[in-house]
Amino acid sequence: MSEGWLLWALLGWPVAGILPCLALRSPRVNLGWTSCVVVAQALLASAVIRAVWIAGSLRMGPVLFVDALSAFHLGVMMIVFVTSTLFAPSYFRHAIESGEFTPWGARRYAALWLGALAAMTLVLLSDNLGLMWVGVEATTLLTAMLIYVHRTPASLEAMWKYLLICSVGVAFAFMGTLLVAAAGRGTQDALTWTHVRKAAGMLDANTLKLGFLFLLVGYGTKAGLAPMHSWLPDAHSQAPAPVSGLFSGFMLSAALYCIMRYVPIVEAATGGTGWSLRLLTFFGVASILVAGAFIVSQRDVKRLLAYSSVEHLGIVALGIGLGKVGLFAALFHTLNHALGKTLAFLCAGRLGQHYGTYDMTRMQGALRASPLWGAGLMICVLALLGAAPFGVFVSEFLIVKAAVEARATWTLVLLLTGLAIIFIGALRHVIGVVYGLPPATPAARRPGPVEVVLVVLPLAALLVLGLWMPDGLRRAIEEAAAVVGGKP
Amino acid sequence: MSLLIESAMVLLVLTNLTLLGLSRLRSCIRVVAVQGIVLGLLPLAAHADDLAPRIILLAGGTVALKGFVFPWMLLRALRVANVRHEVEPIVGYTLSIVIGIAGFGMSLWVGSRLTIPGAAAPPLVLPVALFTILVGLFVIVSRRKALTQVLGYLVLENGMYAFGIVLVGEIPMLVELGVLLDVFVAVLVMGIAIYHISREYDHIDVDELDALRG
């Protein structure tokens, strides 16, 4: 318990880091400072994860609480944040040199970026379901302005859609939170997760079910589950690459994390009938199929990756819905997806800068024009499509196994159909981008050592996770899965 | 106590229906401001017998934000965008009111079927909260101007607030403040977005923001 102060530090540090951002003049220094803050935050987070690893959970006061599930997501969040923050200087280099990225723009960008980090940390750290909601809504509002960094009409449109659809969606989640509190009327602290979890048997099952429907639609909107995903491809395609990477790599998973918190409560209150799990399965399968339909006819590489996120979040939801092995696979998949998708957006972003377009029919020969980013995109997409021997292959295989074990024949058929359509559809597009002869453009700038490391490290991690699962990670995921799977 | 709450509920219904029939954006903002003040005073009515300082503080904050700060921010955005009227909404005003009344009937019906355990609130609260949420959603989908959509979002938020105050009772102060802060930032960011949309497009008609598809 003595490490409880770490939680305050974790929450306060990014907020404190915002102040210097507002004073720094040079955009480059500002991005450097942001990197320092995020790396320090990652160190703090690893101290928290270590403490949770030893003690099982960590608590500070009545509202801050970290258990295995939030510690696991904290780890994923820091991987995504560190990767995309360190990448930002290289992505914005051209904009800084040309003066498009002004000192004011950089200040705003850095402040909002750290604000988003603080808000997502709040989502993971709060034991209070109301505060968790406050954190999710805050991430929506803080990241909205990040979409509009490149000041184009299209990014403005994307920002407005994101702002409105997600705000209304997340408002539904608030209604759900209130209904859960109403279901627990009479129990103490009807909004504190640890209390509600213990007293789940005493909750009014019908009110709770109604609340869960609202929560699923609300947080599901933010997580990009079909059919509430309409904001997602627009926002992901218009935001600058580091922001798209953050959205896809972690923000969506953070919303799904909120749903995961409610699953054991609803299951315990309804007597373990699997009611909430069936709903998650339904939304999961729907997301995979909808994503498949849009990926086949996609021309914009960032929109393609965005729809692939709808697919992967659907796979995670499906994994939770299947339970047991599926739950383990779902969490493992969250990690794999975060590694692969963040990097894919970063590579696509740099390629897009090189070609001046994200239209895949006009981005030919990326492998020759820009070997590092071209190869990075190709391997990322292959890994995300579930090609062996990368981590995604293992987690998807486990989900298929879970579906077989649960004898969910229709789910299995739809899942495999969806995956096959997406495999063929996406690969066809990306092969066209990577191979072939590049148009006559000036050669790309030689990538610096930081950029090489940023591309190679996540890919190596994905490869290792596909071949060998470290015991520590297995235990961490098993314990996180036990939180969702209903260990009292 | 219940008389006060019920008159507040009647006021909520009236403001909702008025909003559906108005075309002048300035008047729409005023109506939503009145609704915000009524809602801000609701916790005082709900806890009239034991007024704790935190309830007074919360009521004061809500009234100040929803009744004065938001309208001021939105009126500013309106001046910058230089729009006066909601021209040709997707659903006309008369039809909007008719739909609103039908929605109220439906909310009454749903409210009578839905039971919230242990709720001691007057029976009118649940249907009116549901109705306010419905009106908010309807305004968002049936109006063209970005500004009216923000008003719809506020009305939606008001409906949930009414639901929370009366039916859930004890929400920790920290959560309430957090929610209030979020709504404040939401209106702020949406206001900034409206400013940029009006500069970029010369209008704030959201249905013409349709370049991104597929």
Side-chain angles (χ1 to χ4, degrees), chain A residues 216-285:
Chain A
L216 191 58
V217 171
Y219 287 134
T221 308
K222 192 80 197 278
L225 293 179
M228 293 88 73
H229 67 283
S230 59
W231 63 273
L232 194 146
D234 296 351
H236 282 63
S237 62
Q238 297 305 317
V243 178
S244 316
L246 171 62
F247 275 16
S248 223
F250 189 68
M251 197 181 73
L252 306 178
S253 308
L256 209 54
Y257 159 85
C258 296
I259 297 177
M260 285 184 211
R261 281 274 165 210
Y262 287 97
V263 169
I265 297 173
V266 177
E267 282 308 302
T270 54
T273 48
W275 176 81
S276 62
L277 303 181
R278 280 197 296 279
L279 279 172
L280 276 166
T281 309
F282 170 78
F283 278 106
V285 172

Side-chain angles (χ1 to χ4, degrees), chain B:
Chain B
M1 165 192 161
S2 83
L3 184 70
L4 276 176
I5 294 185
E6 284 188 340
S7 11
M9 290 301 129
V10 172
L11 274 175
L12 277 189
V13 175
L14 289 178
T15 43
N16 284 337
L17 288 175
T18 320
L19 180 69
L20 289 177
L22 283 175
S23 89
R24 268 178 57 114
L25 289 173
R26 193 174 284 273
S27 319
C28 290
I29 296 177
R30 298 235 163 86
V31 169
V32 176
V34 170
Q35 190 175 68
I37 296 177
V38 171
L39 267 174
L41 297 176
L42 196 59
L44 296 181
H47 302 270
D49 19 344
D50 55 325
L51 277 180
R54 61 170 279 260
I55 292 172
I56 298 175
L57 191 73
L58 191 70
T62 312
V63 169
L65 271 185
K66 294 195 170 174
F68 300 96
V69 178
F70 292 171
W72 177 75
M73 283 158 65
L74 292 173
L75 285 172
R76 243 177 73 100
L78 196 63
R79 254 200 310 282
V80 174
N82 199 18
V83 215
R84 295 240 167 88
H85 288 269
E86 173 73 50
V87 189
E88 289 177 21
I90 297 164
V91 181
Y93 299 108
T94 321
L95 187 58
S96 294
I97 295 183
V98 173
I99 291 176
I101 292 170
F104 187 46
M106 206 178 78
S107 312
L108 281 174
W109 182 74
V110 173
S112 69
R113 313 246 326 178
L114 201 68
T115 47
I116 303 288
L124 206 53
V125 174
L126 184 59
V128 172
L130 286 177
F131 175 52
T132 313
I133 292 171
L134 278 182
V135 168
L137 285 174
F138 179 72
V139 167
I140 291 174
V141 296
S142 69
R143 300 292 189 256
R144 287 178 206 272
K145 301 286 181 212
L147 195 108
T148 330
Q149 295 196 330
V150 180
L151 290 177
Y153 171 71
L154 281 177
V155 171
L156 173 73
E157 197 70 43
N158 284 348
M160 305 210 171
Y161 187 80
F163 182 88
I165 285 288
V166 185
L167 292 175
V168 182
E170 287 290 300
I171 298 178
M173 181 79 174
L174 201 59
V175 177
E176 302 245 33
L177 287 180
V179 172
L180 213 53
L181 182 72
D182 269 350
V183 180
F184 170 72
V185 180
V187 176
L188 185 74
V189 176
M190 288 176 186
I192 296 172
I194 290 178
Y195 168 74
H196 285 295
I197 294 175
S198 72
R199 263 201 354 185
E200 191 72 54
Y201 291 93
D202 247 2
H203 63 71
I204 53 169
D205 292 5
V206 180
D207 61 333
E208 286 179 36
L209 299 184
D210 60 353
L212 300 173
R213 295 152 185 254

